[in-house]
Amino acid sequence: MSQDLVTFLNARLDEEADLARRCDGDGSGEWAAQGHTVDFGQGELAGFHPAVALHVALYDPARVLREVEAKRRVLARHEFSPAIGDPELPWDNRDDCQYDGEPWPCDDLLDLASPYIDHPDYPGHP
Ligand SMILES: [Zn+2]
């Protein structure tokens, strides 16, 4: 698993950003919940349980796009640093994360990937 997890995460972030943009996430207004109703900026839908309405509003496309961009910045910081195999540099003799020096993939990348562990393309998924 060298870059598999990074490729997998980028694909998930691309999907989430694409879906958010298709829900007019580039500026149609903020999603908001009020009681059983969700205001989607261009219209309202009623009939939700109030907790569900709040949950739906939490997935405001503009917020999702900001979250995707934040995750992309985290992903960009945690770059793969392959083992060099130089006996003069024994500390460089393993694949690790350039940002934190942990064995690859580092805990931060595994945490970013953990919500998708049931996805059929998850690296190592049976
Ligand atoms: Zn890292």
Side-chain angles (χ1 to χ4, degrees):
M1 188 189 301
S2 55
Q3 293 289 67
D4 293 355
L5 196 65
V6 172
T7 301
F8 172 81
L9 278 168
N10 274 315
R12 301 293 74 77
L13 295 176
D14 288 347
E15 287 171 353
E16 289 180 19
D18 179 59
L19 186 58
R21 281 189 208 97
R22 289 168 45 206
C23 291
D24 212 359
D26 293 331
S28 71
E30 192 174 314
W31 289 11
Q34 191 161 26
H36 298 271
T37 302
V38 178
D39 177 350
F40 294 97
Q42 299 174 329
E44 295 181 352
L45 277 179
F48 295 99
H49 183 283
V52 174
L54 287 168
H55 185 75
V56 170
L58 186 64
Y59 282 87
D60 176 287
R63 191 199 62 78
V64 169
L65 288 172
R66 290 192 301 272
E67 185 174 323
V68 165
E69 289 310 310
K71 288 177 178 177
R72 288 192 199 282
R73 289 191 296 275
V74 172
L75 203 50
R77 281 195 297 273
H78 293 264
E79 273 190 78
F80 176 58
S81 177
I84 294 171
D86 182 346
E88 298 292 317
L89 302 170
W91 56 88
D92 276 335
N93 203 23
R94 69 173 189 194
D95 292 344
D96 59 18
C97 173
Q98 191 166 345
Y99 183 71
D100 50 46
E102 291 181 30
W104 188 264
C106 69
D107 286 345
D108 287 349
L109 289 186
L110 292 171
D111 284 344
L112 279 179
S114 65
Y116 311 104
I117 194 128
D118 290 337
H119 193 285
D121 294 341
Y122 189 91
H125 193 276

Short mmCIF file of all heavy atoms in Angstrom, two decimals, residues 74-75 77-79 96-109, ligand 1:
data_model
loop_
_atom_site.label_atom_id
_atom_site.label_comp_id
_atom_site.label_asym_id
_atom_site.label_seq_id
_atom_site.Cartn_x
_atom_site.Cartn_y
_atom_site.Cartn_z
N VAL A 74 -4.75 18.44 4.23
CA VAL A 74 -4.15 17.44 5.13
C VAL A 74 -3.46 16.37 4.30
O VAL A 74 -2.31 15.99 4.55
CB VAL A 74 -5.21 16.81 6.06
CG1 VAL A 74 -4.62 15.65 6.84
CG2 VAL A 74 -5.79 17.86 7.01
N LEU A 75 -4.17 15.89 3.28
CA LEU A 75 -3.63 14.85 2.41
C LEU A 75 -2.33 15.32 1.74
O LEU A 75 -1.36 14.55 1.65
CB LEU A 75 -4.69 14.52 1.36
CG LEU A 75 -4.68 13.19 0.66
CD1 LEU A 75 -4.60 12.05 1.63
CD2 LEU A 75 -5.96 13.06 -0.19
N ARG A 77 -0.17 17.46 2.84
CA ARG A 77 0.93 17.54 3.80
C ARG A 77 1.55 16.17 4.06
O ARG A 77 2.75 16.06 4.26
CB ARG A 77 0.44 18.13 5.13
CG ARG A 77 0.30 19.62 5.12
CD ARG A 77 0.18 20.17 6.54
NE ARG A 77 -0.99 19.73 7.26
CZ ARG A 77 -2.19 20.32 7.21
NH1 ARG A 77 -2.35 21.40 6.47
NH2 ARG A 77 -3.19 19.87 7.91
N HIS A 78 0.71 15.13 4.07
CA HIS A 78 1.18 13.80 4.44
C HIS A 78 1.62 13.05 3.18
O HIS A 78 0.92 12.18 2.68
CB HIS A 78 0.10 13.05 5.21
CG HIS A 78 -0.17 13.66 6.54
ND1 HIS A 78 0.42 13.21 7.71
CD2 HIS A 78 -0.93 14.74 6.89
CE1 HIS A 78 0.03 13.97 8.71
NE2 HIS A 78 -0.79 14.90 8.24
N GLU A 79 2.79 13.40 2.70
CA GLU A 79 3.32 12.80 1.47
C GLU A 79 4.06 11.51 1.76
O GLU A 79 4.74 11.37 2.78
CB GLU A 79 4.28 13.78 0.79
CG GLU A 79 3.62 14.76 -0.13
CD GLU A 79 4.64 15.52 -0.95
OE1 GLU A 79 5.15 14.93 -1.93
OE2 GLU A 79 4.93 16.67 -0.59
N ASP A 96 7.74 5.81 4.70
CA ASP A 96 7.09 6.56 5.77
C ASP A 96 6.46 7.84 5.25
O ASP A 96 6.50 8.13 4.05
CB ASP A 96 8.05 6.82 6.94
CG ASP A 96 9.30 7.60 6.55
OD1 ASP A 96 9.30 8.23 5.48
OD2 ASP A 96 10.25 7.58 7.34
N CYS A 97 5.88 8.57 6.18
CA CYS A 97 5.22 9.83 5.86
C CYS A 97 6.25 10.95 6.01
O CYS A 97 6.89 11.06 7.05
CB CYS A 97 4.05 10.05 6.82
SG CYS A 97 3.29 11.68 6.67
N GLN A 98 6.35 11.76 4.98
CA GLN A 98 7.33 12.84 5.02
C GLN A 98 6.99 13.88 6.09
O GLN A 98 7.87 14.52 6.64
CB GLN A 98 7.37 13.52 3.64
CG GLN A 98 8.53 14.46 3.48
CD GLN A 98 8.74 14.84 2.04
OE1 GLN A 98 8.21 14.21 1.14
NE2 GLN A 98 9.51 15.88 1.81
N TYR A 99 5.69 14.02 6.41
CA TYR A 99 5.25 15.05 7.35
C TYR A 99 5.54 14.69 8.79
O TYR A 99 6.03 15.50 9.56
CB TYR A 99 3.75 15.30 7.15
CG TYR A 99 3.18 16.39 8.00
CD1 TYR A 99 3.48 17.73 7.76
CD2 TYR A 99 2.30 16.09 9.04
CE1 TYR A 99 2.95 18.73 8.53
CE2 TYR A 99 1.76 17.10 9.82
CZ TYR A 99 2.08 18.41 9.56
OH TYR A 99 1.54 19.41 10.32
N ASP A 100 5.22 13.44 9.19
CA ASP A 100 5.33 13.07 10.60
C ASP A 100 6.32 11.95 10.86
O ASP A 100 6.58 11.61 12.01
CB ASP A 100 3.95 12.71 11.17
CG ASP A 100 3.22 11.70 10.32
OD1 ASP A 100 3.84 10.70 9.91
OD2 ASP A 100 2.02 11.91 10.04
N GLY A 101 6.86 11.34 9.80
CA GLY A 101 7.87 10.29 9.97
C GLY A 101 7.33 8.95 10.40
O GLY A 101 8.09 8.01 10.63
N GLU A 102 5.98 8.83 10.52
CA GLU A 102 5.39 7.55 10.90
C GLU A 102 5.45 6.58 9.73
O GLU A 102 5.47 7.00 8.57
CB GLU A 102 3.92 7.74 11.30
CG GLU A 102 3.72 8.50 12.58
CD GLU A 102 2.23 8.62 12.92
OE1 GLU A 102 1.44 7.74 12.55
OE2 GLU A 102 1.88 9.63 13.56
N PRO A 103 5.44 5.26 10.02
CA PRO A 103 5.39 4.28 8.93
C PRO A 103 4.17 4.55 8.04
O PRO A 103 3.11 4.95 8.52
CB PRO A 103 5.24 2.93 9.66
CG PRO A 103 5.78 3.18 11.01
CD PRO A 103 5.49 4.63 11.33
N TRP A 104 4.37 4.33 6.74
CA TRP A 104 3.31 4.58 5.75
C TRP A 104 2.32 3.45 5.69
O TRP A 104 2.74 2.30 5.67
CB TRP A 104 3.96 4.78 4.38
CG TRP A 104 2.98 5.24 3.35
CD1 TRP A 104 2.32 4.47 2.45
CD2 TRP A 104 2.54 6.58 3.14
NE1 TRP A 104 1.50 5.24 1.69
CE2 TRP A 104 1.61 6.54 2.09
CE3 TRP A 104 2.83 7.80 3.75
CZ2 TRP A 104 0.97 7.68 1.62
CZ3 TRP A 104 2.20 8.92 3.28
CH2 TRP A 104 1.29 8.87 2.23
N PRO A 105 1.01 3.70 5.60
CA PRO A 105 0.36 5.01 5.71
C PRO A 105 0.26 5.44 7.18
O PRO A 105 -0.03 4.61 8.04
CB PRO A 105 -1.01 4.77 5.10
CG PRO A 105 -1.29 3.31 5.31
CD PRO A 105 0.05 2.63 5.26
N CYS A 106 0.48 6.72 7.43
CA CYS A 106 0.50 7.23 8.81
C CYS A 106 -0.92 7.24 9.41
O CYS A 106 -1.91 7.10 8.69
CB CYS A 106 1.11 8.62 8.84
SG CYS A 106 0.09 9.89 8.07
N ASP A 107 -0.97 7.43 10.71
CA ASP A 107 -2.27 7.41 11.41
C ASP A 107 -3.23 8.49 10.89
O ASP A 107 -4.45 8.26 10.84
CB ASP A 107 -2.07 7.59 12.92
CG ASP A 107 -1.50 6.34 13.57
OD1 ASP A 107 -1.52 5.25 12.94
OD2 ASP A 107 -1.02 6.45 14.72
N ASP A 108 -2.70 9.66 10.52
CA ASP A 108 -3.59 10.72 10.04
C ASP A 108 -4.28 10.30 8.74
O ASP A 108 -5.47 10.57 8.55
CB ASP A 108 -2.83 12.02 9.83
CG ASP A 108 -2.46 12.68 11.16
OD1 ASP A 108 -2.97 12.24 12.21
OD2 ASP A 108 -1.65 13.63 11.15
N LEU A 109 -3.55 9.65 7.84
CA LEU A 109 -4.17 9.18 6.59
C LEU A 109 -5.17 8.06 6.88
O LEU A 109 -6.25 8.03 6.28
CB LEU A 109 -3.12 8.70 5.60
CG LEU A 109 -2.25 9.78 4.97
CD1 LEU A 109 -1.35 9.18 3.89
CD2 LEU A 109 -3.08 10.91 4.39
ZN ZN B 1 1.51 11.59 7.97
#
